[in-house]
Amino acid sequence: MKAAPFDHHAPETVAEAAALLAEFGDEAKVLAGGQSLLPLLSLRLTRFEHLVDVHRVVELHGITRTDDALRIGAATLQAEAEHDAVVAGAVPLLARALPHIGHFQIRNRGTVGGSLAHADPASELPTVALTLGATFEAASVRGTREIAADDFFTGTWSTALAEDEILVGTRFPVWAGRTGYGFAEVARRHGDFALAGVAAAVALDADDRITRVAVGMLGVGATPVRVGAAEAALVGTVPDGAALAEAARAGMAALDPADDLHATAAYRRRVGAHLMETALGAAIEEARRG
Amino acid sequence: MSAPAAGRYVGQAIQRKEDPRLLTGHGRYVDDIVVPRMLHAAFVRSDLPSARITAIDVSAALGLEGVSAVFTGADLNPGAGTMQPSMMAENPAAVVAPLTPLAADDVRFVGDPVAIVIAESRALAEDAAELVVVDYEPRDAVASMEAALADGAPLVHPELGGNVASDLALPEDPELEAIFASAAHVVTERLVQHRHTPTPMETRGVVASFDPVTDQLEVWLSTQGPHEARRTFARVSGLPEGHVHVRMGDVGGGFGQKFFTPREEQTVVLAAKRLGAPVKWIEDRRENLLAANHARSDVATVSLALDADGHVLAAKLDHLEEAGAWPVGGTGGVGPFVAMLFPGPYRIPRIWWRSRVVWTNTAGRGAYRGPWMFESVAREQMLDVAARATGIDPLELRRRNVVGDDEQPYTMATGMTFSATTSATTLEHAARVIGYDDFRAEQARARAEGRLLGLGIGLYIEPTSTPAATLGVEAATVRVESGGGVTVFLGTAAHGQSIETTMAQVVAEHLGVAYEDVRVVQGDTDRTPFGGGTGGSRTAVIAGNASREAALKVREMVVGVAAHLLEAAPEDLEVHDGVVSVRGTPVRNVSLAAVAAAVHNAGTGLPPDVPRLLEATGRYQTSSPTWSNACHICTVEVDRITGQVEILRYVVSEDCGRMLNPMVVEGQVHGGVVQGIGGVLYEHFVYDEAGNPLTTTFLDYLLPTAAESPRIEIDHVVTDGPNPEGVKGMGEGGAIGSVPAVVNAVADALAQVGATVTEQPITPVRVVEALEAVGA
């Protein structure tokens, strides 16, 4: 399992990286932590003539908070974000989801931006980004632009990033008021890709009425998905257990999970509904305490 | 029974001699071998399960700079000797598939090697391998036993005329049928154990170097049997055995996969010989999963007849074993063993069995820790099925049928005789440790809350050190070096068994030297006596007793020399920690170093009746298996929504005779148990119906990790084994008892709501489907 030959480039600025991507087009790929790309290269399931290794690009690292957003540089390690108090305070859903990514050894190498740009439909960070409506910052020699999460994930392992674009950072909205968050997933073993998983966020008014709710799922489609049917069933209500179960059932009914080696579509529906109920229940419980 | 006392060294949990290098990352494996001018090999493998090769074009690959050679079957197959292991090669009656170094006319499974590319680096060899163009005429394949047995099925090996490699059965038995017809209870189930692959942490690997001037072949190998490898390489290459030198360093696990010498290693040797340059091949993980021998894959329909009190009256076993295309070590042929051992530790007065071995277009079957263990899986599952049918508690049902410790030797209805086992005792011990009755109460309380807990028992006896072919003997040579240190030369091949430690303990004990002064040498055919290899739970019994005998012989020599030096009678001398002294007068003593100096220093001159050699070889031979036994009990909780299984507690009560080193025994039990848990809940090598493998990375072939491993509670029942050292084999047992224990625990949990599961692996989907099938 040796990768086919490639040239390794190690730019030190975003501009240099963007120039390399512009020069080599579809023969180039950005290499961040390498936790997904290197196995694919080694198995020769994919190949690129040029790898643009961004780990030396200082401006891609770092976590910053403004009043209404948390910005994470694309090359920030997952482990850094996982253990960062600012992340946990501003976007608790990220802190809940991060420990589910692989094993700690993987998170010590894997980057936040790498996971988002790789866009595996069963991975945690893309689901959180979609659920909270994050904003993606992309750069190329043509300039910079922002991409909304709803537009970012276009298919399995594919995003709205153009061939010559590099993901620079991601801004996650900070929810204010009485909020709560839940994340739950089921995997074959600890650290495996989820068979199904749910990210949920809620905000309540003083009467415990849901004023805002976001539910996203992983492992049940070609991309991470928002579960609009569940959100619609819950917003403006003070749900009891039965109402939560019904919202989860309605949410799952609108989705179309697939069979694969490790789980059937029917299994994903059953477990997905259960996880949605669990994650939403935890989020509401937390918000009510707050 | 009384437990034998531990010795000064034997029986002590001494720290392992292997640990300093292995735990600090300084083990030396075959991939650490670097030879001047060494080249690297990669195989071109079939990506079709069955096809005729119509053309192979190697020109583009040969044109790549840095590529030394590309060999196909046309190059290496002519003149190659048999590739079968000794026990098959020397058995004219053996049915073997027509294995060649490389597939030349046909490919018969995905992964079949078609060409070998040799280049300056492995990466370059892989680049060149991609450039080899093979034209195939695809054919229909059979990827399962069901498909292979269907009328008109395509043949895996057309030369052999059918897909059934062997079909053995007892004659029909009207008396047995009459027993079934009149029995109070008859239970029948179809049981399935799925395909695994052994997955040693270190994949296979070889470095081969041939010197055409001396006609000498040097091979470094990741193996469980360097002496068997030497014979195999001699046969396939046509070289005299004396011209083949095989060495091994540390080996990162084998589990049976490296017990015989596989096809790829032999092909690399042939390529190196032809090329006249050293060649290294280190198997990558994908190849290991795809093409190294697989294991398990058994199906059986089993019936038990019982009387009203739950005594088993008779059994029927119709067993199918999947051999794949190129089984390693023969036809796969453990089937008759499964049938012969099926009664296990129970009184089953009458049995009928049939055993078929089936070829399929899949990776070949080979040895895997407890190769015949489906007998325990099938039997223990059936006892639980019978318990549910009769309404008798599964522990009680086993009590009524188990052969008592004092009822042995006992001959099974299949003709196998076992002795000196303690199944009844371990059953009670394990039940006591797990708190059997308390758990049943807890299970009932949980059930009332809607939770599903379950308990499973796996009781088995294991024939260890089975003397098949070369496997019944081992030799050990013990030498006192000129400075008084002790070296032990063994034909064993440690790959995780702590043999350097345990055999040093045995020699230190019986020779009377300090453990620290004993060094064990193994894994070099030029330096060590012939040995059958490490596997089959045979080292403690056979090498252990050979080491003991050699140590005692050398002790006698030491005493003889010391008697001369001390002017004392030999029978008045004792040897402790390297000092020979007169019993009762310890100040009259001489060190082993002084004894060695007297022998090696010719100038001092010794009288003619004093030994002038401090070296001896012991050879232990066994003519029948040494039986060990254990009872595994585990408790689980099954999640009713997700179908996931959590192991709550895991208890093993085992009897492996006198323990050479309890820490090593427990390590072996731990590893085996986790392997069994992995097999039941996670591991599954999957082919689709067309014969395409679907689990060729660790993303899809799921091994148990530390996170999936429960704490394992071990109870030792220690009785003397029937040999001078009092030991019994135990390397495989952990992987045998764990499988039925886990399967039965899940089945016990599900039975509370009327759901059943008889097929492995027990995946979350399978559990959920079982629950949904009964509306639970």
Side-chain angles (χ1 to χ4, degrees), chain B residues 303-593:
Chain B
S303 300
L304 295 183
L306 301 98
D307 71 13
D309 296 326
H311 298 108
V312 180
L313 302 173
K316 287 192 263 190
L317 172 74
D318 189 352
H319 174 227
L320 289 171
E321 168 193 345
E322 187 173 4
W326 309 112
V328 181
T331 56
V334 301
F337 241 125
V338 169
M340 298 291 278
L341 290 165
F342 176 79
Y346 303 101
R347 285 181 297 271
I348 299 183
R350 204 159 186 108
I351 186 168
W352 174 88
W353 58 264
R354 181 183 188 189
S355 168
R356 281 170 286 174
V357 180
V358 183
W359 306 113
T360 57
N361 292 108
T362 62
R365 184 183 184 121
Y368 182 41
R369 209 171 190 176
W372 62 90
M373 55 88 75
F374 187 66
E375 46 81 32
S376 282
V377 176
R379 179 190 62 247
E380 295 299 307
Q381 275 188 268
M382 287 310 292
L383 285 172
D384 272 25
V385 169
R388 286 190 283 274
T390 57
I392 300 170
D393 175 87
L395 174 61
E396 177 57 28
L397 187 80
R398 285 175 172 80
R399 283 176 175 144
R400 291 182 192 179
N401 287 285
V402 69
V403 175
D405 299 357
D406 55 359
E407 296 177 63
Q408 301 170 37
Y410 181 88
T411 300
M412 302 179 196
T414 54
M416 301 284 282
T417 299
F418 64 87
S419 61
T421 63
T422 54
S423 296
T425 300
T426 56
L427 179 67
E428 297 304 330
H429 281 212
R432 189 178 69 217
V433 175
I434 201 91
Y436 191 86
D437 294 337
D438 291 346
F439 175 81
R440 290 300 184 198
E442 182 188 348
Q443 182 181 30
R445 283 194 300 274
R447 176 78 188 91
E449 297 165 9
R451 293 162 56 215
L452 297 180
L453 307 190
L455 179 147
I457 304 174
L459 185 68
Y460 70 91
I461 53 175
E462 180 194 355
T464 72
S465 318
T466 300
T470 58
L471 303 183
V473 294
E474 283 288 331
T477 299
V478 171
R479 179 199 294 161
V480 178
E481 306 290 357
S482 62
V486 176
T487 312
V488 186
F489 299 89
L490 293 173
T492 52
H495 49 285
Q497 293 81 1
S498 317
I499 292 172
E500 284 169 60
T501 298
T502 54
M503 294 301 119
Q505 288 177 261
V506 169
V507 169
E509 182 79 35
H510 298 294
L511 181 50
V513 299
Y515 167 76
E516 293 74 19
D517 293 337
V518 182
R519 187 172 72 96
V520 173
V521 174
Q522 54 185 336
D524 184 330
T525 58
D526 273 4
R527 290 200 289 165
T528 65
F530 180 85
T534 292
S537 306
R538 60 189 297 277
T539 298
V541 173
I542 308 183
N545 282 292
S547 296
R548 171 198 177 97
E549 185 188 311
L552 288 171
K553 282 183 180 174
V554 175
R555 184 182 189 281
E556 201 179 320
M557 294 168 173
V558 168
V559 166
V561 177
H564 165 70
L565 296 176
L566 293 170
E567 297 179 347
E571 56 271 22
D572 291 339
L573 299 183
E574 54 189 17
V575 192
H576 286 300
D577 281 358
V579 176
V580 190
S581 58
V582 178
R583 194 173 291 107
T585 318
V587 289
R588 286 182 65 199
N589 68 64
V590 59
S591 70
L592 189 59

Side-chain angles (χ1 to χ4, degrees), chain A residues 1 44 47 187 189 267 270, chain B residues 127 130 284 640 642 703:
Chain A
M1 289 195 291
R44 299 192 181 215
R47 62 187 63 204
R189 296 171 306 179
Y267 180 87
R270 172 190 178 108
Chain B
D127 292 344
E130 285 193 326
D284 68 31
R640 297 186 69 162
T642 66
L703 288 173

Side-chain angles (χ1 to χ4, degrees), chain A residues 253-274:
Chain A
L255 300 176
D256 187 20
D259 288 331
D260 68 17
L261 193 60
H262 297 296
T264 58
Y267 180 87
R268 290 189 157 92
R269 287 184 185 285
R270 172 190 178 108
V271 170
H274 166 72

Side-chain angles (χ1 to χ4, degrees), chain A residues 10-87:
Chain A
E12 294 187 356
T13 64
V14 170
E16 286 171 26
L20 288 162
L21 294 177
E23 181 181 352
F24 298 119
D26 64 3
E27 292 183 349
K29 187 74 175 174
V30 174
L31 170 66
Q35 298 303 290
S36 299
L37 181 58
L38 291 187
L40 292 170
L41 290 170
S42 293
L43 288 163
R44 299 192 181 215
L45 292 173
T46 186
R47 62 187 63 204
F48 295 96
E49 298 290 314
H50 301 274
L51 293 188
V52 180
D53 181 347
V54 298
H55 87 276
R56 291 184 200 168
V57 181
V58 175
E59 59 197 297
L60 290 177
H61 291 261
I63 297 166
T64 49
R65 157 121 202 224
T66 58
D67 281 349
D68 60 353
L70 176 82
R71 183 185 183 280
I72 302 183
T76 304
L77 295 178
Q78 291 159 5
E80 289 175 50
E82 178 184 358
H83 301 295
D84 190 287
V86 174
V87 171

Side-chain angles (χ1 to χ4, degrees), chain B residues 147-232:
Chain B
L149 292 173
D151 286 342
L155 296 184
V156 178
H157 301 301
E159 306 88 336
L160 300 178
N163 286 333
V164 177
S166 78
D167 185 353
L168 299 172
L170 293 181
E172 288 191 12
D173 182 350
E175 269 184 55
L176 178 130
E177 295 302 335
I179 293 169
F180 267 90
S182 62
H185 301 280
V186 171
V187 286
T188 299
E189 281 290 350
R190 180 174 178 274
L191 306 170
V192 177
Q193 186 174 28
H194 58 294
R195 177 183 290 256
H196 302 45
T197 178
T199 57
M201 189 180 289
E202 183 202 22
T203 57
R204 296 178 297 160
V206 59
V207 176
S209 177
F210 180 69
D211 181 343
V213 177
T214 58
D215 243 11
Q216 180 72 21
L217 179 67
E218 296 286 331
V219 185
W220 292 262
L221 190 66
S222 180
T223 184
Q224 296 176 234
H227 294 275
E228 167 68 15
R230 181 198 206 191
R231 299 174 88 187
T232 306

